[in-house]
């Protein structure tokens, strides 16, 4: 029996985000933060996004929930093109897609009680009585395994892990379909990380959430995601089921990235350490052709001139490389 895939919740086509930098027109330069990203995210799945610092993960995440404008390409949410939607047009869509950040403290006003902070989304989007609002806040606190009486406390009275729970509660307030979590556990102690990951996983099951999970830690992504996209200098170089991508990476960059962390592969063989030559090029002046060619062991002259597009190497497994590794 053939299974028909549901339509994607999110679809991007050649989405790019460029930041102009430099004060005067003569000094003006362009940061190519995200470059021609095409992806589809299906309801209920967790797509991990990995790559070195500065490769455009956060920028892509912010584009997906339209927290930032998109330079070119398109973005669809639930079948609707929202690439250029105005703030007013975005309002009904906003509640469907929320972001969880690495450092929740930055968005928690220290002078307001947690109950008030959590009630904000209801004030903006829903007309509720005081007691209805208090009930909803209590539900949220319990959902993230905090206590109803925590509503009376101020953000500084919580630990880092508890503050992230509050950040998650706030993202959940309007019952979104999509959550983009940008390194949600990177700032936490390892023991606390596992608790937050478990909470996110429980919420996914209970509330049928779809996640984009951004991390530089491959082992966390491997635990938590069904599919992964590997980014290098603003572009996706490889994407596929987590196990396929991490146990038999086809892109030379993925292989190097994986070998840099002690993640044994499926057969528990430690991956051989691959050290990349050269430095990460600047997104102000990315290399021609394949952006990875300056550091790639397999690069040929073709790679200098022609940019490889993502192509299938296996079911659901795509790689953007002229000379992929053997599977
Ligand atoms: P990551 O999350 O993978 O570390 P980012 O998306 O934060 O990467 O950044 C990608 C690139 O875009 C980096 O070179 C970064 O310096 C640049 N960048 C991010 N935000 C801005 C901004 N507001 N203005 C200019 N450049 C930016
Ligand atoms: Mg980031």
């Amino acid at each position: 029996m053939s299974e028909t895939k549901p339509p994607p919740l999110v679809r991007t086509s050649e989405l790019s985000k460029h930041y102009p930098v430099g004060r005067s027109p003569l000094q003006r330069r362009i940061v190519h933060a995200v470059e021609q990203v095409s992806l589809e995210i299906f309801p209920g799945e967790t797509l991990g996004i990995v790559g070195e610092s500065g490769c455009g993960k956060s920028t892509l995440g912010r584009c997906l929930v339209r927290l930032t404008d998109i330079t070119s390409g398109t973005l669809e949410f639930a079948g609707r093109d929202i690439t250029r939607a105005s703030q007013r047009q975005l309002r009904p869509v906003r509640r469907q897609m929320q972001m969880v950040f690495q450092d929740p403290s930055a968005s928690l006003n220290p002078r307001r009680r947690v109950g008030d902070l959590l009630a904000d989304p209801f004030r903006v989007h829903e007309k509720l009585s005081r007691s209805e609002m208090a009930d909803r806040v209590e539900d949220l606190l319990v959902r993230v395994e905090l206590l109803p009486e925590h509503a009376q406390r101020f953000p500084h009275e919580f630990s880092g892990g508890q503050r992230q729970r509050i950040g998650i509660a706030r993202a959940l307030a309007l019952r979104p379909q999509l959550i983009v979590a940008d390194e949600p556990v990177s700032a936490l102690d390892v023991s606390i990380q596992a608790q937050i990951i478990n909470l996110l996983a429980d919420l996914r099951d209970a509330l049928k959430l779809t996640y984009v999970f951004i991390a530089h830690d491959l082992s966390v992504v491997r635990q938590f995601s069904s599919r992964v996209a590997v980014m290098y200098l603003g572009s996706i170089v490889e994407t596929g089921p987590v196990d396929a991508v991490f146990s038999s990476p086809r892109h030379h960059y993925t292989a190097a990235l994986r070998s840099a962390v002690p993640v044994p592969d499926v057969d528990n063989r430690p991956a051989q350490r691959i050290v990349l030559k050269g430095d990460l090029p600047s997104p102000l002046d990315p290399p021609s052709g394949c952006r990875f060619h300056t550091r790639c062991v397999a690069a040929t002259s073709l790679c200098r001139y022609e940019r490889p597009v993502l192509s299938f190497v296996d079911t659901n497994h795509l790689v953007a490389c002229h000379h992929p590794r053997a599977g």
Side-chain angles (χ1 to χ4, degrees):
M1 205 175 79
S2 78
E3 209 182 312
T4 42
K5 260 188 173 175
L9 183 59
V10 180
R11 188 205 308 261
T12 71
S13 175
E14 310 218 329
L15 185 151
S16 298
K17 173 69 182 181
H18 297 169
Y19 294 108
V21 291
R23 256 159 279 144
S24 73
L26 278 178
Q27 293 170 323
R28 183 75 29 95
R29 302 186 69 189
I30 305 285
V31 180
H32 299 249
V34 171
E35 197 66 20
Q36 296 182 16
V37 166
S38 300
L39 50 80
E40 292 183 327
I41 303 165
F42 292 92
E45 80 168 337
T46 296
L47 175 70
I49 298 186
V50 296
E52 287 164 281
S53 173
C55 71
K57 304 180 297 297
S58 295
T59 303
L60 176 59
R62 294 167 60 86
C63 286
L64 293 179
V65 299
R66 271 298 313 273
L67 271 182
T68 182
D69 288 340
I70 291 163
T71 307
S72 63
T74 58
L75 169 67
E76 282 170 41
F77 183 83
R80 196 167 143 196
D81 187 326
I82 57 165
T83 319
R84 310 256 168 258
S86 65
Q87 287 308 320
R88 200 173 57 85
Q89 291 166 326
L90 278 174
R91 232 179 111 169
V93 190
R94 280 258 179 265
R95 51 186 307 162
Q96 304 287 340
M97 42 196 215
Q98 294 288 323
M99 202 147 173
V100 171
F101 298 95
Q102 176 176 344
D103 176 13
S105 314
S107 59
L108 299 176
N109 182 335
R111 285 186 294 276
R112 297 182 63 211
R113 290 178 202 276
V114 162
D116 282 337
L117 291 169
L118 288 179
D120 279 344
F122 304 132
R123 275 192 275 268
V124 178
H125 287 271
E126 292 180 21
K127 291 193 170 51
L128 299 178
S129 69
R130 279 184 84 83
S131 75
E132 283 169 325
M133 211 133 68
D135 286 348
R136 292 282 287 274
V137 166
E138 183 173 326
D139 286 347
L140 283 174
L141 287 167
V142 173
R143 266 269 175 237
V144 297
E145 297 158 11
L146 292 172
L147 301 170
E149 50 266 38
H150 284 146
Q152 300 310 317
R153 297 204 196 153
F154 292 94
H156 74 263
E157 296 176 72
F158 293 89
S159 67
Q162 287 176 318
R163 272 201 292 271
Q164 191 53 290
R165 288 175 192 271
I166 296 165
I168 293 167
R170 197 148 74 158
L172 291 177
L174 298 169
R175 302 178 180 151
Q177 287 178 274
L178 173 74
I179 293 205
V180 175
D182 189 357
E183 311 232 15
V185 300
S186 302
L188 303 173
D189 290 345
V190 174
S191 58
I192 311 292
Q193 287 188 1
Q195 295 174 10
I196 299 292
I197 296 283
N198 287 339
L199 172 66
L200 288 170
D202 291 347
L203 292 168
R204 170 174 61 197
D205 300 341
L207 305 173
K208 311 226 173 335
L209 295 168
T210 305
Y211 284 112
V212 173
F213 187 84
I214 298 171
H216 63 260
D217 182 338
L218 300 196
S219 56
V220 171
V221 168
R222 191 165 191 169
Q223 272 175 50
F224 188 70
S225 313
S226 35
R227 210 151 59 86
V228 64
V230 181
M231 287 183 80
Y232 182 78
L233 276 181
S235 296
I236 294 178
V237 296
E238 180 161 9
T239 177
V242 216
D243 285 333
V245 171
F246 288 152
S247 56
S248 60
R250 306 297 297 272
H251 199 284
H252 302 274
Y253 176 65
T254 312
L257 197 64
R258 187 195 63 156
S259 82
V261 285
V263 195
D265 66 18
V266 269
D267 308 321
N268 265 321
R269 280 173 311 190
Q272 198 189 345
R273 179 79 203 249
I274 302 166
V275 180
L276 288 178
K277 59 177 180 176
D279 293 327
L280 185 66
S282 164
L284 279 168
D285 191 14
S288 62
C290 172
R291 291 182 162 205
F292 187 59
H293 84 257
T294 54
R295 305 173 79 190
C296 185
V297 287
T300 60
S301 59
L302 173 66
C303 309
R304 278 204 295 281
Y305 302 113
E306 197 174 309
R307 184 152 184 205
V309 294
L310 277 174
S311 318
F312 282 99
V313 285
D314 204 342
T315 324
N316 298 327
H317 189 169
L318 295 100
V319 64
C321 178
H322 293 304
H323 312 292
R325 301 170 82 245

